[in-house]
Amino acid sequence: MQEAIDYLSTKSPIFQAIIQEYGLPPIPKRPQGFETLVLLILEQQVSIDSARATFLKIKGYTICSPEVLVILSDEAFRALGVSRQKTTYITALASAILTDEINIESLATKSAKQVREELIKLKGIGNWTIDIYLMFCLQEPDLIPLGDIAVVNTIKELLDIHDKEDMETHTLQWSPYRSYATYLLWHYYL
């Protein structure tokens, strides 16, 4: 991590300022697999705390496995606080695993590009979900999730860049450590 921090600090003074003010950021890690993808689906466009509460309700109610969730009724999902749309996404993911449309275990052996190409085919799995999975589960070091509102708002505030294409261009200078830049931006945001 120190190599990444040193590199980023030479690229932009904002990173050194964040570290001086708030210390080093935590590096999030989550287990690979179905459960994490379910949690990421629940986290889409809601608070992390709300998503985690719903996820814990699911786990308290039943086993969080593709075999179980693919047959869980819409009413049961609704009773657990899962929206109709996210129910569709979770059951589509479970079905894709059960029909071997996707092999989640094999993702760890693939490039970030290959993982993105496989996951993007699944209903309800978009770039934000893929970015977070790559960063938290597969420890991809060079991603900047510009679909994440906290990252975008922090770049706007600290760098006065408001256009996503300009953000993409600007953040290229942080490569090959854009994920670490993201952790620093989140650290500042929080």
Coordinates of all heavy atoms in Angstrom, one line a residue, residues 63-158:
I63 N -31.0 -19.7 4.1 CA -29.6 -19.8 3.6 C -29.4 -19.0 2.4 O -30.3 -19.0 1.5 CB -29.3 -21.3 3.3 CG1 -29.4 -22.2 4.5 CG2 -27.9 -21.4 2.7 CD1 -29.4 -23.7 4.2
C64 N -28.4 -18.2 2.3 CA -28.1 -17.3 1.2 C -27.3 -18.1 0.2 O -26.1 -17.9 0.1 CB -27.4 -16.0 1.6 SG -27.3 -14.8 0.3
S65 N -28.1 -18.9 -0.6 CA -27.4 -19.7 -1.7 C -28.3 -19.6 -2.9 O -29.5 -19.3 -2.8 CB -27.3 -21.1 -1.2 OG -28.6 -21.7 -1.3
P66 N -27.7 -19.8 -4.1 CA -28.4 -19.7 -5.3 C -29.6 -20.7 -5.3 O -30.7 -20.4 -5.7 CB -27.4 -20.1 -6.4 CG -26.1 -19.9 -5.8 CD -26.3 -20.1 -4.3
E67 N -29.4 -21.9 -4.8 CA -30.4 -22.9 -4.8 C -31.7 -22.5 -4.0 O -32.8 -22.8 -4.4 CB -29.9 -24.2 -4.2 CG -28.8 -24.9 -5.0 CD -27.4 -24.3 -4.8 OE1 -27.2 -23.4 -3.9 OE2 -26.5 -24.6 -5.5
V68 N -31.4 -21.8 -2.9 CA -32.5 -21.4 -2.0 C -33.2 -20.1 -2.6 O -34.4 -20.0 -2.7 CB -32.1 -21.2 -0.6 CG1 -33.2 -20.5 0.3 CG2 -31.6 -22.5 0.0
L69 N -32.4 -19.1 -2.9 CA -32.9 -17.8 -3.3 C -33.6 -17.8 -4.6 O -34.6 -17.1 -4.9 CB -31.9 -16.7 -3.3 CG -31.3 -16.4 -1.9 CD1 -30.4 -15.2 -1.9 CD2 -32.4 -16.2 -0.8
V70 N -33.3 -18.7 -5.5 CA -33.9 -18.8 -6.8 C -35.4 -19.2 -6.7 O -36.2 -18.9 -7.5 CB -33.1 -19.7 -7.8 CG1 -33.4 -21.2 -7.5 CG2 -33.5 -19.4 -9.3
I71 N -35.7 -19.9 -5.6 CA -37.1 -20.4 -5.4 C -37.8 -19.6 -4.4 O -39.0 -19.9 -4.1 CB -37.1 -21.9 -5.1 CG1 -36.4 -22.3 -3.9 CG2 -36.6 -22.7 -6.3 CD1 -36.5 -23.7 -3.4
L72 N -37.2 -18.7 -3.7 CA -37.8 -17.9 -2.7 C -38.9 -17.0 -3.4 O -38.7 -16.4 -4.4 CB -36.8 -17.0 -2.0 CG -37.2 -16.4 -0.7 CD1 -37.5 -17.4 0.4 CD2 -36.1 -15.4 -0.2
S73 N -40.1 -17.0 -2.8 CA -41.2 -16.3 -3.4 C -41.0 -14.7 -3.3 O -40.3 -14.2 -2.5 CB -42.5 -16.6 -2.7 OG -42.5 -16.0 -1.4
D74 N -41.6 -14.1 -4.3 CA -41.6 -12.6 -4.3 C -42.1 -12.0 -3.0 O -41.6 -11.0 -2.5 CB -42.4 -12.1 -5.5 CG -41.8 -12.3 -6.8 OD1 -40.6 -12.8 -6.9 OD2 -42.4 -12.0 -7.8
E75 N -43.1 -12.7 -2.4 CA -43.7 -12.2 -1.2 C -42.7 -12.3 0.0 O -42.6 -11.4 0.8 CB -45.0 -13.0 -0.8 CG -46.1 -12.8 -1.8 CD -46.0 -13.5 -3.1 OE1 -45.2 -14.6 -3.2 OE2 -46.6 -13.1 -4.1
A76 N -41.9 -13.4 0.0 CA -40.9 -13.6 1.0 C -39.8 -12.5 0.9 O -39.4 -11.9 1.9 CB -40.3 -15.0 0.9
F77 N -39.4 -12.3 -0.3 CA -38.4 -11.2 -0.6 C -39.0 -9.9 -0.1 O -38.3 -9.1 0.6 CB -38.0 -11.1 -2.0 CG -36.9 -12.0 -2.5 CD1 -37.1 -13.1 -3.3 CD2 -35.6 -11.8 -2.0 CE1 -36.0 -13.9 -3.7 CE2 -34.5 -12.5 -2.4 CZ -34.7 -13.6 -3.3
R78 N -40.2 -9.6 -0.4 CA -40.8 -8.3 0.0 C -40.9 -8.2 1.5 O -40.6 -7.1 2.1 CB -42.2 -8.2 -0.7 CG -42.4 -6.8 -1.4 CD -43.7 -6.6 -2.0 NE -44.5 -7.8 -2.4 CZ -44.4 -8.4 -3.6 NH1 -43.5 -8.1 -4.5 NH2 -45.2 -9.4 -3.8
A79 N -41.2 -9.3 2.1 CA -41.3 -9.3 3.6 C -40.0 -9.0 4.2 O -39.9 -8.5 5.4 CB -41.9 -10.6 4.1
L80 N -38.9 -9.4 3.5 CA -37.5 -9.2 4.0 C -37.0 -7.8 3.7 O -35.9 -7.4 4.0 CB -36.6 -10.3 3.5 CG -36.9 -11.7 3.9 CD1 -36.1 -12.7 3.1 CD2 -36.6 -11.8 5.4
G81 N -37.8 -7.0 3.0 CA -37.4 -5.6 2.6 C -36.7 -5.5 1.3 O -36.1 -4.5 1.0
V82 N -36.8 -6.5 0.4 CA -36.2 -6.4 -0.9 C -37.2 -5.9 -1.9 O -38.3 -6.5 -2.0 CB -35.6 -7.8 -1.3 CG1 -34.9 -7.7 -2.6 CG2 -34.7 -8.4 -0.2
S83 N -36.8 -4.9 -2.7 CA -37.7 -4.4 -3.7 C -38.0 -5.4 -4.8 O -37.2 -6.4 -5.0 CB -37.1 -3.1 -4.3 OG -36.0 -3.5 -5.1
R84 N -39.0 -5.2 -5.5 CA -39.4 -6.1 -6.7 C -38.2 -6.2 -7.7 O -37.8 -7.2 -8.1 CB -40.6 -5.6 -7.3 CG -41.1 -6.5 -8.5 CD -42.4 -6.2 -9.0 NE -43.4 -6.4 -7.9 CZ -44.5 -5.6 -7.7 NH1 -44.7 -4.6 -8.5 NH2 -45.3 -5.9 -6.7
Q85 N -37.6 -5.0 -8.0 CA -36.5 -4.9 -8.9 C -35.3 -5.7 -8.5 O -34.7 -6.5 -9.2 CB -36.2 -3.5 -9.2 CG -35.2 -3.3 -10.3 CD -34.9 -1.8 -10.6 OE1 -34.9 -1.0 -9.7 NE2 -34.7 -1.5 -11.9
K86 N -34.9 -5.5 -7.2 CA -33.8 -6.2 -6.7 C -34.0 -7.7 -6.5 O -33.1 -8.5 -6.6 CB -33.3 -5.6 -5.4 CG -32.6 -4.2 -5.7 CD -32.1 -3.6 -4.5 CE -31.4 -2.2 -4.9 NZ -30.9 -1.5 -3.7
T87 N -35.3 -8.1 -6.2 CA -35.7 -9.5 -6.2 C -35.4 -10.1 -7.6 O -34.8 -11.2 -7.7 CB -37.1 -9.7 -5.8 OG1 -37.3 -9.2 -4.5 CG2 -37.6 -11.1 -5.9
T88 N -35.8 -9.4 -8.6 CA -35.5 -9.9 -10.0 C -34.0 -10.1 -10.2 O -33.6 -11.1 -10.8 CB -36.1 -8.9 -11.0 OG1 -37.5 -8.8 -10.8 CG2 -35.9 -9.4 -12.4
Y89 N -33.2 -9.1 -9.8 CA -31.8 -9.2 -10.0 C -31.2 -10.4 -9.2 O -30.3 -11.1 -9.8 CB -31.1 -7.9 -9.5 CG -31.5 -6.6 -10.3 CD1 -31.2 -5.4 -9.8 CD2 -32.2 -6.7 -11.5 CE1 -31.5 -4.2 -10.4 CE2 -32.6 -5.5 -12.1 CZ -32.2 -4.3 -11.6 OH -32.6 -3.1 -12.3
I90 N -31.6 -10.5 -8.0 CA -31.0 -11.6 -7.2 C -31.4 -13.0 -7.7 O -30.6 -13.9 -7.8 CB -31.5 -11.5 -5.7 CG1 -30.8 -10.2 -5.1 CG2 -31.1 -12.7 -4.9 CD1 -31.4 -9.8 -3.7
T91 N -32.6 -13.1 -8.1 CA -33.1 -14.4 -8.7 C -32.4 -14.7 -10.1 O -32.1 -15.8 -10.4 CB -34.6 -14.6 -8.8 OG1 -35.1 -13.5 -9.5 CG2 -35.2 -14.6 -7.4
A92 N -32.2 -13.6 -10.8 CA -31.5 -13.8 -12.1 C -30.0 -14.2 -11.9 O -29.5 -15.1 -12.6 CB -31.5 -12.5 -12.9
L93 N -29.4 -13.7 -10.9 CA -28.0 -14.1 -10.6 C -28.0 -15.5 -10.1 O -27.2 -16.3 -10.6 CB -27.5 -13.2 -9.4 CG -26.1 -13.6 -8.8 CD1 -25.0 -13.6 -9.9 CD2 -25.8 -12.7 -7.6
A94 N -28.9 -15.9 -9.2 CA -29.0 -17.3 -8.7 C -29.2 -18.2 -9.9 O -28.6 -19.3 -10.0 CB -30.1 -17.4 -7.7
S95 N -30.1 -17.9 -10.8 CA -30.4 -18.7 -11.9 C -29.2 -18.9 -12.8 O -28.9 -20.0 -13.3 CB -31.6 -18.1 -12.7 OG -31.9 -18.9 -13.8
A96 N -28.5 -17.8 -13.1 CA -27.3 -17.8 -14.0 C -26.2 -18.7 -13.4 O -25.5 -19.4 -14.1 CB -26.8 -16.4 -14.1
I97 N -26.1 -18.8 -12.1 CA -25.2 -19.6 -11.4 C -25.6 -21.1 -11.6 O -24.8 -22.0 -11.9 CB -25.0 -19.3 -10.0 CG1 -24.2 -17.9 -9.9 CG2 -24.2 -20.3 -9.2 CD1 -24.2 -17.3 -8.5
L98 N -26.9 -21.3 -11.3 CA -27.4 -22.7 -11.3 C -27.4 -23.3 -12.7 O -27.3 -24.5 -12.9 CB -28.8 -22.8 -10.7 CG -28.8 -22.4 -9.2 CD1 -30.3 -22.3 -8.7 CD2 -28.1 -23.5 -8.4
T99 N -27.5 -22.5 -13.8 CA -27.6 -23.0 -15.1 C -26.2 -22.9 -15.8 O -26.0 -23.1 -17.0 CB -28.5 -22.2 -16.0 OG1 -28.1 -20.8 -16.0 CG2 -30.0 -22.3 -15.5
D100 N -25.2 -22.6 -15.0 CA -23.8 -22.5 -15.4 C -23.6 -21.4 -16.5 O -22.6 -21.4 -17.3 CB -23.2 -23.8 -15.9 CG -23.1 -24.8 -14.8 OD1 -22.7 -24.4 -13.7 OD2 -23.3 -26.0 -15.1
E101 N -24.4 -20.4 -16.5 CA -24.2 -19.3 -17.4 C -23.0 -18.5 -16.9 O -22.3 -17.9 -17.7 CB -25.5 -18.4 -17.3 CG -25.4 -17.2 -18.2 CD -26.7 -16.3 -18.1 OE1 -27.8 -16.8 -17.8 OE2 -26.6 -15.1 -18.3
I102 N -22.8 -18.6 -15.6 CA -21.6 -17.9 -15.0 C -21.1 -18.8 -13.9 O -21.8 -19.5 -13.2 CB -21.9 -16.5 -14.4 CG1 -20.6 -15.8 -14.0 CG2 -22.9 -16.6 -13.3 CD1 -20.8 -14.3 -13.8
N103 N -19.7 -18.8 -13.8 CA -19.1 -19.6 -12.8 C -18.3 -18.6 -11.9 O -17.3 -18.1 -12.3 CB -18.1 -20.6 -13.4 CG -17.3 -21.4 -12.3 OD1 -17.2 -21.0 -11.2 ND2 -16.9 -22.6 -12.7
I104 N -18.9 -18.3 -10.7 CA -18.4 -17.2 -9.9 C -17.0 -17.6 -9.4 O -16.1 -16.7 -9.3 CB -19.3 -17.0 -8.7 CG1 -20.6 -16.5 -9.2 CG2 -18.7 -16.0 -7.7 CD1 -21.2 -15.3 -8.6
E105 N -16.7 -18.9 -9.1 CA -15.4 -19.3 -8.6 C -14.3 -19.0 -9.6 O -13.2 -18.7 -9.3 CB -15.4 -20.7 -8.2 CG -16.2 -21.1 -6.9 CD -17.7 -21.0 -7.1 OE1 -18.2 -21.4 -8.2 OE2 -18.4 -20.6 -6.2
S106 N -14.6 -19.0 -10.9 CA -13.6 -18.9 -11.9 C -13.2 -17.4 -12.1 O -12.2 -17.1 -12.7 CB -14.1 -19.4 -13.3 OG -15.1 -18.6 -13.9
L107 N -14.0 -16.5 -11.6 CA -13.7 -15.0 -11.8 C -12.3 -14.6 -11.2 O -11.7 -13.8 -11.8 CB -14.8 -14.2 -11.1 CG -16.2 -14.3 -11.7 CD1 -17.2 -13.4 -11.0 CD2 -16.2 -14.1 -13.2
A108 N -11.9 -15.3 -10.2 CA -10.6 -14.9 -9.6 C -9.4 -15.2 -10.5 O -8.4 -14.7 -10.3 CB -10.4 -15.7 -8.2
T109 N -9.7 -16.1 -11.5 CA -8.6 -16.5 -12.4 C -8.6 -15.6 -13.7 O -7.7 -15.8 -14.5 CB -8.7 -17.9 -12.8 OG1 -9.9 -18.1 -13.6 CG2 -8.7 -18.9 -11.6
K110 N -9.5 -14.7 -13.7 CA -9.6 -13.9 -15.0 C -9.2 -12.4 -14.8 O -9.1 -11.9 -13.7 CB -11.1 -13.9 -15.4 CG -11.5 -15.4 -15.7 CD -13.0 -15.5 -16.2 CE -13.2 -16.9 -16.5 NZ -14.6 -17.2 -16.8
S111 N -9.0 -11.8 -15.9 CA -8.6 -10.4 -15.9 C -9.8 -9.5 -15.5 O -11.0 -10.0 -15.6 CB -8.1 -9.9 -17.3 OG -9.1 -9.9 -18.2
A112 N -9.6 -8.3 -15.1 CA -10.7 -7.4 -14.8 C -11.6 -7.2 -16.0 O -12.8 -7.2 -15.8 CB -10.1 -6.1 -14.3
K113 N -11.0 -7.2 -17.2 CA -11.8 -7.0 -18.4 C -12.7 -8.2 -18.6 O -13.9 -8.1 -18.9 CB -10.9 -6.8 -19.6 CG -11.6 -6.6 -20.9 CD -10.5 -6.3 -22.0 CE -11.2 -5.9 -23.3 NZ -11.7 -7.0 -24.1
Q114 N -12.2 -9.4 -18.4 CA -13.0 -10.6 -18.6 C -14.1 -10.7 -17.5 O -15.2 -11.1 -17.9 CB -12.0 -11.9 -18.5 CG -11.1 -12.0 -19.6 CD -10.1 -13.1 -19.4 OE1 -9.5 -13.2 -18.3 NE2 -9.8 -13.9 -20.4
V115 N -13.8 -10.4 -16.3 CA -14.8 -10.4 -15.2 C -15.9 -9.4 -15.6 O -17.1 -9.8 -15.5 CB -14.2 -10.0 -13.9 CG1 -15.2 -9.8 -12.8 CG2 -13.2 -11.1 -13.4
R116 N -15.5 -8.2 -16.0 CA -16.6 -7.2 -16.4 C -17.4 -7.8 -17.6 O -18.6 -7.7 -17.5 CB -15.9 -5.9 -16.9 CG -16.9 -4.8 -17.2 CD -16.2 -3.5 -17.4 NE -15.3 -3.1 -16.4 CZ -15.6 -2.6 -15.2 NH1 -16.9 -2.4 -14.9 NH2 -14.7 -2.3 -14.3
E117 N -16.8 -8.4 -18.6 CA -17.6 -8.9 -19.7 C -18.5 -10.0 -19.3 O -19.6 -10.1 -19.8 CB -16.6 -9.5 -20.8 CG -15.8 -8.4 -21.5 CD -14.7 -8.9 -22.4 OE1 -14.4 -10.1 -22.3 OE2 -14.1 -8.1 -23.1
E118 N -18.2 -10.8 -18.3 CA -19.0 -11.9 -17.9 C -20.2 -11.4 -17.0 O -21.3 -11.7 -17.2 CB -18.3 -13.0 -17.1 CG -17.5 -13.8 -18.0 CD -17.0 -15.1 -17.3 OE1 -17.8 -15.7 -16.5 OE2 -15.9 -15.5 -17.6
L119 N -19.8 -10.5 -16.0 CA -20.9 -10.0 -15.1 C -21.8 -9.1 -15.7 O -23.0 -9.1 -15.3 CB -20.2 -9.4 -13.9 CG -19.5 -10.4 -12.9 CD1 -18.8 -9.6 -11.8 CD2 -20.4 -11.4 -12.3
I120 N -21.4 -8.3 -16.7 CA -22.3 -7.3 -17.3 C -23.4 -7.9 -18.0 O -24.5 -7.3 -18.2 CB -21.5 -6.3 -18.2 CG1 -22.2 -5.0 -18.4 CG2 -21.2 -6.9 -19.5 CD1 -22.2 -4.1 -17.2
K121 N -23.3 -9.1 -18.4 CA -24.4 -9.9 -19.1 C -25.6 -10.2 -18.2 O -26.7 -10.4 -18.6 CB -23.9 -11.2 -19.6 CG -22.8 -11.0 -20.7 CD -22.3 -12.4 -21.1 CE -21.1 -12.3 -22.0 NZ -20.5 -13.7 -22.2
L122 N -25.4 -10.1 -16.8 CA -26.4 -10.5 -15.9 C -27.3 -9.3 -15.6 O -26.8 -8.2 -15.3 CB -25.8 -11.0 -14.6 CG -24.8 -12.2 -14.8 CD1 -24.2 -12.5 -13.4 CD2 -25.6 -13.4 -15.3
K123 N -28.6 -9.6 -15.6 CA -29.6 -8.5 -15.3 C -29.3 -8.0 -13.9 O -29.2 -8.7 -12.9 CB -31.0 -9.2 -15.4 CG -32.1 -8.2 -15.1 CD -33.4 -8.9 -15.3 CE -34.6 -7.9 -15.2 NZ -34.8 -7.0 -16.3
G124 N -29.2 -6.7 -13.8 CA -29.1 -6.0 -12.5 C -27.6 -5.9 -12.0 O -27.4 -5.3 -11.0
I125 N -26.7 -6.4 -12.8 CA -25.3 -6.2 -12.5 C -24.7 -5.2 -13.5 O -24.5 -5.5 -14.7 CB -24.5 -7.6 -12.6 CG1 -25.1 -8.7 -11.8 CG2 -23.0 -7.3 -12.2 CD1 -24.9 -8.6 -10.3
G126 N -24.4 -4.0 -13.0 CA -23.8 -3.0 -13.8 C -22.4 -2.7 -13.4 O -21.8 -3.3 -12.6
N127 N -21.9 -1.6 -14.0 CA -20.5 -1.3 -13.8 C -20.1 -1.0 -12.4 O -19.0 -1.4 -11.9 CB -20.1 -0.1 -14.7 CG -19.9 -0.5 -16.2 OD1 -19.3 -1.6 -16.4 ND2 -20.5 0.2 -17.1
W128 N -21.0 -0.3 -11.6 CA -20.7 0.0 -10.2 C -20.5 -1.3 -9.4 O -19.5 -1.5 -8.7 CB -21.8 0.9 -9.6 CG -21.5 1.1 -8.1 CD1 -20.7 2.1 -7.6 CD2 -21.9 0.4 -7.0 NE1 -20.7 2.1 -6.3 CE2 -21.4 1.0 -5.8 CE3 -22.7 -0.8 -6.9 CZ2 -21.7 0.5 -4.6 CZ3 -23.0 -1.3 -5.6 CH2 -22.4 -0.6 -4.5
T129 N -21.5 -2.2 -9.6 CA -21.4 -3.5 -8.9 C -20.1 -4.3 -9.3 O -19.4 -4.8 -8.4 CB -22.7 -4.3 -9.2 OG1 -23.8 -3.6 -8.8 CG2 -22.7 -5.7 -8.4
I130 N -19.8 -4.3 -10.5 CA -18.6 -5.0 -11.0 C -17.4 -4.3 -10.5 O -16.4 -5.0 -10.0 CB -18.6 -5.0 -12.6 CG1 -19.8 -5.8 -13.1 CG2 -17.3 -5.6 -13.1 CD1 -20.1 -5.6 -14.6
D131 N -17.3 -3.0 -10.5 CA -16.1 -2.3 -10.0 C -15.9 -2.6 -8.5 O -14.8 -2.9 -8.1 CB -16.3 -0.7 -10.1 CG -16.2 -0.2 -11.5 OD1 -15.7 -1.0 -12.4 OD2 -16.6 0.9 -11.8
I132 N -17.0 -2.6 -7.7 CA -16.8 -2.9 -6.3 C -16.4 -4.3 -6.0 O -15.6 -4.6 -5.2 CB -18.1 -2.5 -5.5 CG1 -18.5 -1.0 -5.7 CG2 -18.0 -2.8 -4.0 CD1 -17.4 0.0 -5.4
Y133 N -17.0 -5.2 -6.8 CA -16.6 -6.6 -6.7 C -15.1 -6.8 -7.0 O -14.4 -7.5 -6.3 CB -17.5 -7.5 -7.6 CG -17.3 -9.0 -7.3 CD1 -18.0 -9.6 -6.3 CD2 -16.4 -9.8 -8.1 CE1 -17.9 -11.0 -6.0 CE2 -16.3 -11.1 -7.8 CZ -17.0 -11.7 -6.8 OH -16.8 -13.0 -6.5
L134 N -14.7 -6.2 -8.1 CA -13.3 -6.3 -8.5 C -12.4 -5.7 -7.5 O -11.3 -6.3 -7.1 CB -13.1 -5.6 -9.9 CG -13.5 -6.3 -11.1 CD1 -13.6 -5.3 -12.3 CD2 -12.6 -7.5 -11.4
M135 N -12.8 -4.6 -6.9 CA -11.9 -3.9 -5.9 C -11.9 -4.6 -4.6 O -10.9 -4.9 -4.0 CB -12.4 -2.5 -5.7 CG -12.0 -1.6 -6.9 SD -12.8 0.0 -6.8 CE -12.0 0.7 -5.4
F136 N -13.1 -5.0 -4.0 CA -13.2 -5.5 -2.7 C -12.9 -7.0 -2.6 O -12.4 -7.5 -1.7 CB -14.6 -5.3 -2.1 CG -15.0 -3.9 -1.8 CD1 -14.2 -2.8 -2.2 CD2 -16.1 -3.6 -1.1 CE1 -14.5 -1.5 -1.9 CE2 -16.5 -2.3 -0.7 CZ -15.7 -1.3 -1.2
C137 N -13.3 -7.8 -3.7 CA -13.2 -9.2 -3.6 C -12.0 -9.7 -4.4 O -11.3 -10.7 -3.9 CB -14.4 -9.9 -4.2 SG -16.0 -9.4 -3.4
L138 N -11.7 -9.1 -5.5 CA -10.6 -9.6 -6.3 C -9.3 -8.7 -6.2 O -8.3 -9.0 -6.8 CB -11.0 -9.7 -7.8 CG -12.2 -10.7 -8.0 CD1 -12.6 -10.7 -9.5 CD2 -11.9 -12.1 -7.5
Q139 N -9.4 -7.7 -5.3 CA -8.3 -6.8 -5.0 C -7.7 -6.2 -6.3 O -6.4 -6.1 -6.3 CB -7.3 -7.5 -4.2 CG -7.8 -8.1 -2.9 CD -8.5 -7.0 -2.0 OE1 -7.8 -6.1 -1.6 NE2 -9.7 -7.1 -1.7
E140 N -8.5 -5.8 -7.2 CA -8.0 -5.1 -8.5 C -7.4 -3.8 -8.0 O -8.1 -3.0 -7.4 CB -9.2 -5.0 -9.4 CG -8.8 -4.1 -10.6 CD -7.7 -4.6 -11.5 OE1 -7.6 -5.8 -11.7 OE2 -6.9 -3.8 -12.0
P141 N -6.2 -3.5 -8.4 CA -5.5 -2.3 -7.9 C -5.8 -1.0 -8.7 O -5.5 0.1 -8.3 CB -4.0 -2.6 -7.9 CG -3.9 -3.6 -9.1 CD -5.2 -4.4 -9.0
D142 N -6.4 -1.1 -9.9 CA -6.4 0.0 -10.8 C -7.8 0.3 -11.4 O -8.0 0.3 -12.6 CB -5.4 -0.2 -11.9 CG -5.1 1.1 -12.7 OD1 -5.2 2.2 -12.1 OD2 -4.8 1.0 -13.9
L143 N -8.7 0.6 -10.5 CA -10.1 1.0 -10.9 C -10.5 2.2 -10.2 O -10.2 2.5 -9.0 CB -11.1 -0.1 -10.4 CG -11.3 -1.3 -11.4 CD1 -12.2 -2.3 -10.7 CD2 -11.9 -0.9 -12.7
I144 N -11.2 3.1 -10.9 CA -11.9 4.2 -10.4 C -13.4 4.2 -10.7 O -13.7 4.3 -11.9 CB -11.2 5.6 -10.8 CG1 -11.8 6.8 -10.1 CG2 -11.3 5.8 -12.3 CD1 -11.0 7.3 -9.0
P145 N -14.2 3.9 -9.7 CA -15.7 3.7 -10.0 C -16.4 5.0 -10.2 O -16.9 5.5 -9.2 CB -16.2 2.9 -8.8 CG -15.3 3.3 -7.7 CD -13.9 3.6 -8.3
L146 N -16.4 5.5 -11.4 CA -17.1 6.8 -11.6 C -18.6 6.7 -11.7 O -19.3 7.7 -11.9 CB -16.5 7.5 -12.9 CG -15.0 7.9 -12.8 CD1 -14.5 8.5 -14.1 CD2 -14.8 8.9 -11.6
G147 N -19.1 5.5 -11.3 CA -20.5 5.4 -11.1 C -20.9 5.5 -9.6 O -22.0 5.4 -9.2
D148 N -19.9 5.8 -8.8 CA -20.1 5.9 -7.4 C -20.2 7.4 -7.0 O -19.3 8.2 -7.3 CB -18.9 5.3 -6.6 CG -19.1 5.3 -5.1 OD1 -18.8 6.3 -4.5 OD2 -19.5 4.2 -4.6
I149 N -21.3 7.7 -6.4 CA -21.6 9.1 -6.2 C -20.6 9.8 -5.2 O -20.3 10.9 -5.4 CB -23.1 9.3 -5.7 CG1 -23.5 10.7 -5.7 CG2 -23.3 8.7 -4.3 CD1 -23.8 11.2 -7.1
A150 N -20.1 9.0 -4.3 CA -19.2 9.6 -3.3 C -17.8 9.9 -4.0 O -17.3 11.0 -3.8 CB -18.9 8.6 -2.2
V151 N -17.4 9.0 -4.9 CA -16.2 9.3 -5.7 C -16.4 10.5 -6.6 O -15.5 11.4 -6.6 CB -15.8 8.1 -6.5 CG1 -14.7 8.4 -7.5 CG2 -15.4 6.9 -5.6
V152 N -17.5 10.6 -7.3 CA -17.7 11.7 -8.2 C -17.8 13.0 -7.4 O -17.2 14.0 -7.8 CB -19.0 11.4 -9.0 CG1 -19.5 12.7 -9.7 CG2 -18.8 10.3 -10.0
N153 N -18.6 13.0 -6.3 CA -18.7 14.2 -5.5 C -17.4 14.7 -4.9 O -17.2 15.9 -4.8 CB -19.8 14.1 -4.5 CG -21.2 14.1 -5.1 OD1 -21.4 14.6 -6.2 ND2 -22.2 13.6 -4.3
T154 N -16.6 13.8 -4.5 CA -15.3 14.1 -3.9 C -14.4 14.7 -5.0 O -13.7 15.7 -4.7 CB -14.7 12.9 -3.2 OG1 -15.6 12.4 -2.2 CG2 -13.4 13.3 -2.5
I155 N -14.4 14.1 -6.2 CA -13.6 14.7 -7.3 C -14.0 16.1 -7.6 O -13.2 17.0 -7.8 CB -13.6 13.7 -8.5 CG1 -12.8 12.5 -8.2 CG2 -13.0 14.5 -9.7 CD1 -12.9 11.4 -9.3
K156 N -15.3 16.3 -7.7 CA -15.9 17.6 -7.9 C -15.4 18.6 -6.9 O -15.0 19.7 -7.2 CB -17.4 17.6 -7.9 CG -18.0 16.9 -9.2 CD -19.6 16.9 -9.0 CE -20.2 16.2 -10.2 NZ -21.7 16.1 -10.1
E157 N -15.5 18.2 -5.6 CA -15.1 19.1 -4.5 C -13.6 19.4 -4.5 O -13.2 20.5 -4.4 CB -15.6 18.5 -3.2 CG -15.2 19.4 -2.0 CD -15.6 18.7 -0.7 OE1 -16.5 17.8 -0.6 OE2 -15.0 19.1 0.4
L158 N -12.8 18.4 -4.6 CA -11.4 18.5 -4.4 C -10.6 19.0 -5.6 O -9.6 19.7 -5.5 CB -10.7 17.2 -3.8 CG -11.2 16.8 -2.5 CD1 -10.5 15.5 -2.1 CD2 -10.9 17.8 -1.4

